[in-house]
Amino acid sequence: MKYLVSFLCILMLSACTPSELKEVSFSEREAVLFEEYVIPFSFFPRTIELVGLGDSLTQGVGDELQGAGYIGRLQKEISQYKGIEEVVLTNTAKRGRRSDQLLKMLKAGEIDHQLRKANIITLTIGGNDMMKVVKKDLFNLRVEAFDKELVKFEKNYEQILEEIREINSSAPIILLGLYNPITAVTDEKSELDEILADWNNSIESMAESDVNACFVPIDQLFVTNANLVYHTDFFHPNSRGYELIEEALVNSLGECGLIDERNREMLF
């Protein structure tokens, strides 16, 4: 029987023409291409540490709704983003604080632990540096006095950023600008507007020197009190003012490429 099977196999093979016997080459198979999959930031739920530095503006002075100012509103906003399980807020800001006082606190290592854990850092400083000049010679204000103070402020600010980066090299630092509270009582242009522009330009320039820093201009939010953005002291923002600051901050985060506001995602 086995001879018969062998004979039939030979007959079948001999009946095939050479063209019908095709050599199968496994090397001719087309390669399957796989696109690289990038895991989005929102894939793993995480806790965000938000740290506030600076003066009364970050402290939230004047917020009659007790919403912790712009930074409290930012905390609530971020907590609703994709992949965010919790936003822990540590606010170290203090009313009346100047740049030299903040620098002293940082050098003393008083908040090293908070800075080391921080995922986002916000900073408002400089308003009280300017007010020091105003209080010193209220009835004889000179541009030169502000220019001289600006030199000191710039030196302090640069060192503040250096101290932060020694502790935390990668967390985004949100640098908020200054505004002119005198516009709450008068809409007349003054030399103070030009002085303020110089100080804001300086802060913006320092933000541009750090790849993970973002400048937030807020001066145009407080031109006159037509939108009722001031507290009753006509110096600090009220709840409406802080809402506008938080909105400006979120917009700047988007422009700086740190968040995708449309998809409600953080990009760092």
Side-chain angles (χ1 to χ4, degrees):
M1 182 67 181
K2 66 179 180 180
Y3 296 109
L4 178 60
V5 173
S6 298
F7 178 71
L8 290 174
C9 288
I10 292 171
L11 286 176
M12 291 175 63
L13 289 171
S14 62
C16 296
T17 62
S19 61
E20 291 175 318
L21 294 175
K22 295 182 179 179
E23 183 181 354
V24 178
S25 174
F26 292 100
S27 62
E28 293 177 1
R29 284 175 141 183
E30 291 186 8
V32 179
L33 300 178
F34 294 95
E35 292 185 5
E36 183 181 357
Y37 179 72
V38 179
I39 298 176
F41 285 101
S42 59
F43 187 79
F44 298 105
R46 56 181 178 143
T47 296
I48 296 296
E49 298 281 348
L50 172 60
V51 175
L53 302 176
D55 51 28
S56 58
L57 196 59
T58 293
Q59 185 181 353
V61 173
D63 184 358
E64 76 280 7
L65 297 182
Q66 302 298 310
Y70 79 82
I71 199 169
R73 288 165 172 80
L74 179 63
Q75 178 190 23
K76 291 180 180 179
E77 175 80 10
I78 294 176
S79 67
Q80 298 172 23
Y81 279 29
K82 294 177 183 177
I84 305 302
E85 187 172 41
E86 182 183 11
V87 179
V88 178
L89 172 59
T90 302
N91 196 345
T92 68
K94 183 179 179 181
R95 184 174 191 166
R97 181 174 284 152
R98 302 187 308 269
S99 63
D100 59 318
Q101 295 169 328
L102 175 57
L103 179 58
K104 183 178 179 181
M105 183 178 74
L106 291 171
K107 285 186 173 182
E110 294 180 22
I111 56 173
D112 282 4
H113 178 66
Q114 293 91 327
L115 289 176
R116 191 170 290 110
K117 295 193 305 176
N119 299 110
I120 312 175
I121 301 167
T122 70
L123 171 62
T124 59
I125 204 74
N128 294 302
D129 295 65
M130 293 187 69
M131 287 305 299
K132 185 175 74 170
V133 179
V134 173
K135 292 175 181 178
K136 186 176 181 180
D137 205 351
L138 178 60
F139 299 104
N140 188 30
L141 295 176
R142 294 174 295 108
V143 174
E144 293 77 17
F146 286 98
D147 291 342
K148 185 177 179 180
E149 192 64 32
L150 176 58
V151 174
K152 297 178 183 177
F153 170 72
E154 288 174 332
K155 184 178 179 181
N156 290 336
Y157 209 113
E158 288 175 355
Q159 291 184 51
I160 286 170
L161 295 179
E162 288 174 4
E163 290 290 331
I164 294 173
R165 284 303 181 213
E166 283 187 12
I167 302 299
N168 190 322
S169 62
S170 60
I173 306 176
I174 316 306
L175 310 181
L176 282 79
L178 308 174
Y179 66 92
N180 181 5
I182 293 178
T183 61
V185 293
T186 177
D187 58 0
E188 291 184 8
K189 286 287 183 180
S190 68
E191 287 184 333
L192 191 57
D193 292 303
E194 297 178 10
I195 293 168
L196 186 73
D198 289 338
W199 286 57
N200 277 328
N201 289 337
S202 179
I203 297 173
E204 184 175 12
S205 178
M206 284 183 274
E208 291 172 350
S209 67
D210 187 317
V211 68
N212 286 325
C214 185
F215 175 68
V216 183
I218 62 172
D219 53 314
Q220 293 304 309
L221 304 178
F222 298 95
V223 176
T224 79
N225 196 29
N227 293 325
L228 302 177
V229 293
Y230 281 96
H231 181 55
T232 52
D233 62 6
F234 288 103
F235 188 83
H236 294 96
N238 58 15
S239 61
R240 175 57 181 158
Y242 282 118
E243 287 174 8
L244 293 177
I245 292 177
E246 188 269 337
E247 290 172 7
L249 196 158
V250 170
N251 288 336
S252 292
L253 287 179
E255 293 172 359
C256 291
L258 295 171
I259 64 169
D260 181 348
E261 190 177 358
R262 174 180 289 184
N263 294 317
R264 309 288 285 174
E265 286 184 294
M266 299 179 66
L267 303 178
F268 59 91

